Amino acid sequence: MLPSFVGCLKNRRCDALLPFSRCYNQWATVVPNEISCENPANVMNLVNGAWNETSKKRKLPDPLTGLNFMSVPDTQISEAGSFISSLKAVPKSGVHNAFKNPERYVMLGDVSAKVATEMRKPEVADFFARLIQRVAPKSYPQALGELVVTRKFFENFGGDQVRFLARGFSNPGDHMGQTSNGLRWPYGPVCVITPFNFPLEIPALQLMGALFMGNKPLLHVDQKVSIVAEQLLRLLHHCGLPKPDIDFMVGPGLTMNEIIKKAEPRNTLFTGSQRVAEKLAADTNGKVFLEDAGFDWKVLGPDAREEDLPYVSWQCDQDAYACSGQKCSAQSILFAHHNWVKLGILENMKQLASKRNLSDLTVGPVLSWTTEAMLAHTHKLLTVPGAKLLFGGKALTNHTIPAVYGAIEPTAVFIPIKEMLKPEVFPLATTEVFGPFQVVTEYSDSEVPLVLDALERMTNHLTAAVVSNNINFIQHVLGNSVNGTTYCGIRARTTGAPQNHWFGPAGDPRGAGIGTPEAIRLVWSCHREVINDFGPIPSTAILKTT
């Protein structure tokens, strides 16, 4: 059964200069159960303050029906020149800094406040939530939650909070008239590259962080969800952001790669796959911040209690399968102490997973793995001695999801921990499947060192959870692990909203952050030291050659 909102984004293209409050109602008329795509949505590029079409367009299939419902720019390398020249025109000192155009800090604070006000309107919130659902199908609460996190971010940086991001420090000098001042300094021309799974939140938070610190960003998003970012930009313009402040290029990764090579941005933020991240690091000579693959672990401690079982089971289900597992913070592997297994947590997880269905999009299309690829990976894991299928492992049925995308039941494969740690098994067991899939293993008190060995051998360190109220156990695991965003306590999870805390990996000097003032300063500014030395001039008697 398809969700009731399935319809087409109607291309009643309005003038780009119309206020967003008039524009969005014309952009996305959602007709329940209407799947006719006679009027596909049309996405445009933005460069140097002007919306542009391209010579070629790409038609994209509806993730739920397979019918073409969106036309996006297929920007060719031959059309990259305007984006390259736009970035090259930005000085290294940025669009603004502590000495140049400081009024822009105030302007961007005002823009943030206005955007937050717009996003508080029920009709605007619903518009973005439905738009997210159309291109990256997830349940309405999950899609609306993305809007809420984004809105709170804009609320956090309204008013004077943007200028406070650029706060520095000073130290006394060696003599009268000398002080040293540490300043946060922009990079100038920068790039923001974001994935499909959070088409509003990630672009919004990283774009605004880049702008706040004085940079001019070029945004590149996954073509499949590009309409969400386009609509965000139109909202920003409506709320007072100058149109030349951000460029927006929709097209193949090869075109974006060519732009980066030719324009040589001073910094690039990439969120996405590890393979592309490493290529970018090489192409930019290391001028990158990365939030790449997230094979995220959760450890259930020894202090299992019957009264905690319903909540912990529910959180495991949410972490592994909300958004069909397409979160970089999704629970990829569960280390369950045998006390939790004896209580029945695996049976509870199976029961909760069985309630997920297409009708409410609590499970849905997987946009980066095919059904065949996910089932093939499942079968490979089941060849490991002692492995077993806990639940799932089947393709979804009675749907019209196109074959280019994946559609499987929420799946969990159990692998004995000693088998998992074997060199020939570990790389397979820790392969990130960006879909509703997880590996589960069990350990005893004597096998805690094996758990820590597994955590040490993992190569990606984004999020993690230690579910326990045993402070000694928590400190032992935390003290011997790395992940940059780690939750601990009986309510610990792997997925969480980054508007109220740092979100990003650890253990890699290229690791990016998102959401907080500290993250913005780290990714989008560098340190500059300015030493004031105004005198008085010393007497000539002490001016000796040394």
Side-chain angles (χ1 to χ4, degrees):
M1 180 185 297
L2 294 177
S4 61
F5 68 80
V6 172
C8 287
L9 292 171
K10 298 298 185 180
N11 183 27
R12 303 180 200 165
R13 169 63 65 182
C14 52
D15 190 298
L17 299 178
L18 283 176
F20 182 85
S21 56
R22 292 171 56 193
C23 181
Y24 76 86
N25 280 326
Q26 300 178 51
W27 248 101
T29 301
V30 179
V31 181
N33 297 321
E34 182 184 319
I35 57 173
S36 169
C37 294
E38 298 173 356
N39 298 298
N42 184 49
V43 179
M44 302 174 72
N45 283 338
L46 176 68
V47 62
N48 287 318
W51 293 102
N52 294 318
E53 292 284 7
T54 51
S55 60
K56 293 183 178 181
K57 303 285 282 193
R58 181 183 174 194
K59 293 183 178 179
L60 300 179
D62 185 316
L64 291 171
T65 69
L67 300 175
N68 290 335
F69 80 135
M70 188 159 56
S71 177
V72 303
D74 194 22
T75 310
Q76 302 298 297
I77 292 176
S78 59
E79 298 172 301
S82 58
F83 297 99
I84 295 169
S85 61
S86 179
L87 283 178
K88 280 186 169 293
V90 183
K92 295 176 183 178
S93 56
V95 183
H96 65 266
N97 56 53
F99 300 120
K100 179 174 71 173
N101 301 327
E103 63 274 6
R104 282 181 51 87
Y105 292 115
V106 180
M107 179 271 290
L108 289 168
D110 290 342
V111 169
S112 295
K114 291 174 183 176
V115 172
T117 298
E118 286 293 313
M119 286 184 170
R120 276 200 171 274
K121 296 177 180 177
E123 63 272 23
V124 175
D126 183 72
F127 164 74
F128 273 113
R130 298 291 184 185
L131 192 59
I132 291 167
Q133 282 190 293
R134 292 297 288 119
V135 296
K138 59 183 81 173
S139 69
Y140 188 81
Q142 288 286 325
L144 186 62
E146 185 177 342
L147 177 282
V148 171
V149 167
T150 306
R151 188 203 75 218
K152 288 183 177 180
F153 173 84
F154 280 105
E155 289 173 343
N156 287 344
F157 292 100
D160 285 324
Q161 295 308 309
V162 174
R163 85 164 104 217
F164 291 161
L165 282 172
R167 175 182 287 138
F169 60 86
S170 65
N171 286 312
D174 292 334
H175 49 256
M176 178 72 73
Q178 185 187 75
T179 57
S180 61
N181 303 280
L183 305 174
R184 300 312 303 174
W185 209 253
Y187 289 101
V190 300
C191 291
V192 178
I193 304 174
T194 64
F196 69 86
N197 55 332
F198 287 91
L200 176 66
E201 179 182 329
I202 299 177
L205 271 58
Q206 294 292 14
L207 269 181
M208 297 312 295
L211 287 172
F212 291 160
M213 300 314 298
N215 307 289
K216 176 174 178 176
L218 166 61
L219 172 65
H220 177 64
V221 304
D222 192 305
Q223 287 176 298
K224 295 186 291 290
V225 297
S226 53
I227 192 170
V228 180
E230 193 212 48
Q231 292 299 289
L232 169 67
L233 293 177
R234 294 182 185 278
L235 171 57
L236 288 169
H237 297 160
H238 169 63
C239 292
L241 183 73
K243 286 187 178 180
D245 274 18
I246 297 173
D247 290 339
F248 178 54
M249 195 285 286
V250 181
L254 287 174
T255 302
M256 186 62 186
N257 191 244
E258 186 70 11
I259 292 171
I260 288 174
K261 286 182 177 180
K262 295 287 181 62
E264 298 181 311
R266 305 282 293 169
N267 185 17
T268 295
L269 177 281
F270 175 78
T271 306
S273 74
Q274 186 175 24
R275 177 184 61 83
V276 177
E278 294 300 337
K279 179 177 177 5
L280 267 176
D283 289 344
T284 62
N285 295 314
K287 297 189 181 103
V288 291
F289 279 98
L290 306 176
E291 189 211 303
D292 52 1
F295 189 86
D296 305 305
W297 52 264
K298 178 183 288 184
V299 175
L300 304 183
D303 51 326
R305 302 191 310 168
E306 186 77 37
E307 55 266 40
D308 296 330
L309 182 63
Y311 181 85
V312 173
S313 302
W314 172 84
Q315 189 64 67
C316 284
D317 176 77
Q318 286 291 107
D319 284 344
Y321 304 124
C323 298
S324 298
Q326 295 174 102
K327 294 184 178 183
C328 53
S329 57
Q331 176 179 304
S332 300
I333 187 168
L334 177 67
F335 296 87
H337 192 279
H338 71 84
N339 290 343
W340 285 100
V341 177
K342 286 193 298 184
L343 277 182
I345 192 167
L346 301 185
E347 291 78 9
N348 278 19
M349 288 164 55
K350 179 178 180 178
Q351 183 180 15
L352 289 166
S354 68
K355 296 178 181 179
R356 294 183 173 273
N357 57 77
L358 268 174
S359 64
D360 58 5
L361 287 180
T362 48
V363 69
V366 174
L367 302 189
S368 60
W369 280 63
T370 64
T371 300
E372 291 74 19
M374 287 186 285
L375 293 181
H377 182 70
T378 302
H379 295 150
K380 286 181 182 178
L381 289 173
L382 291 174
T383 65
V384 176
K388 59 184 177 182
L389 184 68
L390 294 177
F391 50 85
K394 298 177 182 177
L396 294 177
T397 58
N398 300 318
H399 64 78
T400 55
I401 296 170
V404 68
Y405 298 137
I408 69 167
E409 297 176 354
T411 299
V413 174
F414 179 89
I415 301 179
I417 190 166
K418 291 182 179 178
E419 292 292 332
M420 183 183 69
L421 287 172
K422 291 181 176 179
E424 66 273 19
V425 175
F426 194 77
L428 177 66
T430 55
T431 296
E432 182 186 15
V433 177
F434 212 57
F437 181 92
Q438 66 175 319
V439 170
V440 177
T441 193
E442 182 181 352
Y443 73 99
S444 63
D445 288 340
S446 63
E447 292 175 319
V448 171
L450 299 183
V451 175
L452 297 179
D453 182 26
L455 306 187
E456 176 70 18
R457 286 161 58 180
M458 292 179 191
T459 56
N460 305 112
H461 305 289
L462 183 55
T463 71
V466 187
V467 182
S468 175
N469 277 335
N470 182 328
I471 188 62
N472 292 325
F473 178 81
I474 289 173
Q475 289 184 332
H476 185 52
V477 176
L478 292 180
N480 289 278
S481 58
V482 178
N483 293 46
T485 305
T486 306
Y487 302 85
C488 61
I490 199 63
R491 293 188 61 173
R493 61 201 196 275
T494 64
T495 59
Q499 97 280 352
N500 68 329
H501 61 71
W502 166 279
F503 185 89
D508 188 330
R510 304 167 301 178
I514 189 172
T516 63
E518 294 79 12
I520 293 171
R521 292 187 189 105
L522 170 77
V523 175
W524 296 118
S525 69
C526 58
H527 179 92
R528 186 183 190 187
E529 194 80 6
V530 174
I531 296 89
N532 297 327
D533 212 341
F534 294 107
I537 296 295
S539 66
T540 57
I542 68 169
L543 300 179
K544 298 179 181 179
T545 301
T546 60

